[in-house]
């Protein structure tokens, strides 16, 4: 049935085209026949009048009537013959027009399909002529380059528009461009991943691109380029390298810590035996006490190294994070100078986690100490808690950040922050910006390892001149609506990525 309706529709459109072609020809033929009839009648009447066959050209006589009838028959026959000839001509022209319209419609549909296909790809695609001017661009290309529509790129020199400089800002001449050289050399480069493209707003982004020649009769008349923004891939690669580096450092620190701890145990044991043997003649010799103090400092150092390597023994129990912070407030206050203020901004809901209370307090104290050292002239330290729900998007695809509900412990200071270039180093063991003898560089490494061992992660945010905020994310076991009566003097501010001064 659908095929029948389609055939009827085709016949209607064909008949419409035929009438559009035939009617003008028929009208022209009829008008031409009428004109010829009038001209011939007038000519014949003039001749009859000149030779005296009639008294006037308006005379009605058998001769003029016979002449008129003869002319009508002749002209009608010629006109009918002309119409019979015009009809198939009109039909052929209508058929050709219909075929042309079908081909044009198919071409438009093909172009629309090709455009839809190109606009549906994630990759940016553009083509240029021999001069490097854009002749084709898809929607992704315009979006990646910061343009609202692909049509805005047409006719522009693409190298000068988005490939004019290297990543460091130095000029990238068109004659050296690997993509542009394809048109002159015919040699397409392999996949390029070490260059950048430039957006309309002047910002650059790393790309992976490949180019291929556009050929016509064995002659290169342009090239087509496909590219993708690899910023996210680079970020993930950097995170992977950093995680591998931290893992290697952790394994090294753990091995050293175990061996060092064994040495310390031998020193401590023998020192205590010697202290016992000398107790009768010289109670508590100062030299032995100094040895024992040094052993204690070394033991604390090995504990920090084991915490970073996540090889320490933990005794996890259910804890309420807000209560842990309040219980630690008095000891935390003793870590601060008189010109430093400590504030609490705790969540109104109870945050239940499973953690080692002693180790988690050590994490808090290390963060407070780090915040204190970032404000040598004093300031305000705010300890805050919150409940956060992280989904796939908010985790950023990081393998160490599992979607779910987290209890968040935040320590914010009002210091100056530190430059961006050392942000990736702050959790590395023995890395410190302090003077020699004033920091071991293990405080934040211990925080990193302990939080990792508890299944969480640490997020650092900072802005120059506005201080820093360390956020410890710990998996929440349960959270019930228990009002927290603690005051909330100030909310934690939002920061862009940055760091604080590592100890």
């Amino acid at each position: 049935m659908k095929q029948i309706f389609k055939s009827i529709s085709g016949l209607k459109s064909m008949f419409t085209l035929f009438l559009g072609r035939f009617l003008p020809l028929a009208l022209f033929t009829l008008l031409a026949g009428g004109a010829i009839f009038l001209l011939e009648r007038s000519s014949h009447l003039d001749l009859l009048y000149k030779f005296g066959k009639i008294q006037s050209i308006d005379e009605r006589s058998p001769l003029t009537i016979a002449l008129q009838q003869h002319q009508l028959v002749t002209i009608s026959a010629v006109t009918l013959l002309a119409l019979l000839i015009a009809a198939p001509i009109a039909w052929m022209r209508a058929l050709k027009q219909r075929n042309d319209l079908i081909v044009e419609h198919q071409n438009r549909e093909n172009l629309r399909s090709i455009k839809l296909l190109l606009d549906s790809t994630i990759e940016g695609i553009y083509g240029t002529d021999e001069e490097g001017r854009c002749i084709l661009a898809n929607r992704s290309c315009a979006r990646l380059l910061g343009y609202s529509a692909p049509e805005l790129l047409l006719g522009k020199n693409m190298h000068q528009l988005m490939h004019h400089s290297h990543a460091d800002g130095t000029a990238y001449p068109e004659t050296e461009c690997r993509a542009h050289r394809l048109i002159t050399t015919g040699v397409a480069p392999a996949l390029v991943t070490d260059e950048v493209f430039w957006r309309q707003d002047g910002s650059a982004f790393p790309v992976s691109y490949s180019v291929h020649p556009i050929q016509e009769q064995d002659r290169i008349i342009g090239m087509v380029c496909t590219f993708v923004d690899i910023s996210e891939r680079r970020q993930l690669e950097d995170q992977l390298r950093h995680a591998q580096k931290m893992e290697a450092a952790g394994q090294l620190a753990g091995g050293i810590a175990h061996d060092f701890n064994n040495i310390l145990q031998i020193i401590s044991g023998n020192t205590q035996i010697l202290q016992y043997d000398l107790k009768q003649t010289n109670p508590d010799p100062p030299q032995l006490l100094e040895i024992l103090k040094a052993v204690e400092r070394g033991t604390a150092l090995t504990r920090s190294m084991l915490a970073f390597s996540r090889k320490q023994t933990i005794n996890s129990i259910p804890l309420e994070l807000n209560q842990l912070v309040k219980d630690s407030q008095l000891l935390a206050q003793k870590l601060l100078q008189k010109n430093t203020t400590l504030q609490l901004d705790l969540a109104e809901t109870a945050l239940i986690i499973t953690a080692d209370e002693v180790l988690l307090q050590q994490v808090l104290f290390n963060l407070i100490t780090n915040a204190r050292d970032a404000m040598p002239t004093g300031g305000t330290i705010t300890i805050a808690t919150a409940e956060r729900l992280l989904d796939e998007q908010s985790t950023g695809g990081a393998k160490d950040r599992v979607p779910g509900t987290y209890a968040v412990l935040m320590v914010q200071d009002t210091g100056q922050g530190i430059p961006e270039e050392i942000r990736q180093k702050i959790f590395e063991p023995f890395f410190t910006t302090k003077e020699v003898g004033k920091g071991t560089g293990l405080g934040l490494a211990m925080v990193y390892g302990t939080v990792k061992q508890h299944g969480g992660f640490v997020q650092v945010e900072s802005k120059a001149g506005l201080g820093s905020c360390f956020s410890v994310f710990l998996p929440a076991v349960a959270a019930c609506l228990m009002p927290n009566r603690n005051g909330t003097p100030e909310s934690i501010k939002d920061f862009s990525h940055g760091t604080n001064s590592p100890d």
Side-chain angles (χ1 to χ4, degrees):
M1 184 65 69
K2 186 181 294 185
Q3 189 68 28
I4 294 175
F5 282 123
K6 188 175 180 180
S7 300
I8 294 174
S9 177
L11 288 174
K12 285 183 178 179
S13 62
M14 184 63 191
F15 186 69
T16 301
L17 290 175
F18 168 72
L19 291 179
R21 290 287 184 174
F22 178 71
L23 288 179
L25 289 176
L27 181 61
F28 175 76
T29 302
L30 292 174
L31 291 176
I36 293 172
F37 171 76
L38 293 175
L39 288 175
E40 285 191 353
R41 183 174 180 278
S42 176
S43 176
H44 289 161
L45 289 175
D46 286 340
L47 289 175
L48 291 175
Y49 176 74
K50 185 181 292 185
F51 289 102
K53 300 294 183 180
I54 59 175
Q55 299 299 320
S56 69
I57 58 176
D58 296 326
E59 180 182 340
R60 295 285 295 175
S61 65
L63 182 59
T64 58
I65 293 173
L67 177 62
Q68 183 176 352
Q69 292 176 348
H70 174 73
Q71 288 179 330
L72 283 174
V73 172
T74 303
I75 295 300
S76 298
V78 173
T79 303
L80 180 59
L81 180 61
L83 291 175
L84 291 176
I85 296 174
I89 293 176
W91 182 265
M92 295 300 294
R93 289 184 176 179
L95 183 62
K96 183 178 183 303
Q97 183 181 4
R98 181 173 178 272
N99 291 335
D100 291 342
L101 289 174
I102 291 174
V103 171
E104 183 180 351
H105 176 73
Q106 290 176 343
N107 289 338
R108 282 199 303 266
E109 284 298 310
N110 290 338
L111 289 175
R112 191 183 71 84
S113 299
I114 292 173
K115 187 177 186 303
L116 184 62
L117 178 65
L118 292 176
D119 287 340
S120 300
T121 61
I122 299 176
E123 296 84 359
I125 302 174
Y126 71 88
T128 69
D129 59 15
E130 293 177 280
E131 302 299 325
R133 292 185 297 265
C134 181
I135 58 176
L136 169 70
N138 70 342
R139 192 176 301 163
S140 294
C141 175
R143 175 180 55 81
L144 291 171
L145 297 179
Y147 291 86
S148 58
E151 291 75 18
L152 298 176
L153 299 174
L154 300 180
K156 298 183 182 296
N157 186 294
M158 294 302 287
H159 179 84
Q160 298 175 6
L161 184 74
M162 37 67 79
H163 206 190
H164 48 76
S165 303
H166 293 286
D168 58 2
T170 58
Y172 191 10
E174 193 169 354
T175 54
E176 299 178 7
C177 175
R178 284 181 279 186
H180 184 75
R181 284 208 308 259
L182 165 68
I183 298 176
T184 56
T185 63
V187 179
L191 185 66
V192 180
T193 59
D194 58 349
E195 295 183 358
V196 298
F197 283 174
W198 295 82
R199 300 185 183 92
Q200 185 184 21
D201 60 6
S203 61
F205 61 97
V207 294
S208 169
Y209 76 86
S210 61
V211 291
H212 301 278
I214 301 175
Q215 293 182 319
E216 184 178 54
Q217 296 180 353
D218 297 331
R219 187 174 71 90
I220 297 177
I221 60 173
M223 67 94 176
V224 60
C225 173
T226 61
F227 67 94
V228 291
D229 183 351
I230 59 173
S231 300
E232 184 176 352
R233 186 196 307 174
R234 288 278 178 87
Q235 185 179 5
L236 292 176
E237 289 174 352
D238 291 341
Q239 291 177 356
L240 178 60
R241 282 194 293 269
H242 181 68
Q244 291 174 338
K245 181 173 65 176
M246 297 293 280
E247 185 68 25
Q251 292 177 357
L252 177 62
I256 294 174
H258 278 298
D259 292 341
F260 190 47
N261 192 55
N262 293 334
I263 297 173
L264 290 175
Q265 293 296 327
I266 295 172
I267 295 174
S268 177
N270 285 281
T271 303
Q272 290 176 3
I273 292 173
L274 184 60
Q275 187 180 32
Y276 178 80
D277 292 340
L278 296 176
K279 204 168 188 179
Q280 302 297 330
T281 58
N282 186 13
D284 296 329
Q287 296 86 349
L288 296 182
L289 293 177
E290 287 298 322
I291 293 174
L292 290 175
K293 288 181 181 179
V295 169
E296 290 177 0
R297 289 195 296 271
T299 302
L301 185 64
T302 58
R303 280 200 299 268
S304 297
M305 294 172 67
L306 287 171
F308 172 75
S309 63
R310 287 171 275 169
K311 294 182 180 180
Q312 61 185 342
T313 302
I314 63 174
N315 181 25
S316 295
I317 58 174
L319 295 174
E320 205 283 304
L321 185 59
N322 293 320
Q323 190 62 45
L324 182 142
V325 173
K326 287 187 284 187
D327 292 344
S328 306
Q329 183 177 6
L330 183 61
L331 288 176
Q333 191 70 55
K334 294 181 179 180
L335 297 173
L336 306 179
Q337 301 172 351
K338 292 182 179 180
N339 58 358
T340 302
T341 303
L342 182 65
Q343 292 184 344
L344 300 186
D345 183 8
L346 305 183
E348 295 182 356
T349 57
L351 304 176
I352 311 301
I353 59 174
T354 300
D356 188 308
E357 184 175 7
V358 176
L359 293 178
L360 198 56
Q361 280 186 332
Q362 188 64 45
V363 167
L364 177 60
F365 292 152
N366 278 351
L367 292 177
I368 293 174
T369 302
N370 193 68
R372 177 203 66 192
D373 295 342
M375 303 182 297
T377 59
T380 300
I381 296 176
T382 304
I383 304 174
T385 60
E387 184 182 65
R388 298 278 175 82
L389 178 62
L390 301 184
D391 54 18
E392 290 285 351
Q393 184 176 1
S394 56
T395 59
K399 294 182 179 180
D400 60 340
R401 302 184 181 185
V402 180
T405 303
Y406 286 83
V408 187
L409 172 65
M410 293 168 279
V411 178
Q412 174 189 320
D413 63 65
T414 56
Q416 294 300 313
I418 61 173
E420 172 73 17
E421 57 267 18
I422 66 171
R423 182 178 65 87
Q424 299 293 336
K425 301 179 181 179
I426 59 173
F427 294 116
E428 295 179 7
F430 307 111
F431 176 80
T432 179
T433 57
K434 298 175 183 178
E435 298 177 7
V436 177
K438 291 189 176 181
T440 62
L442 284 172
L444 291 180
M446 178 266 178
V447 169
Y448 175 88
T450 300
V451 174
K452 284 282 188 182
Q453 200 168 7
H454 282 78
F457 61 92
V458 185
Q459 181 175 294
V460 186
E461 300 170 315
S462 178
K463 268 190 177 180
L466 295 180
S468 303
C469 180
F470 282 73
S471 300
V472 176
F473 287 74
L474 297 169
V477 176
C480 53
L481 296 176
M482 294 173 52
N484 186 349
R485 298 179 181 178
N486 191 77
T488 56
E490 184 180 3
S491 297
I492 292 294
K493 301 173 182 176
D494 290 332
F495 292 90
S496 61
H497 292 296
T499 59
N500 194 3
S501 299
D503 72 352

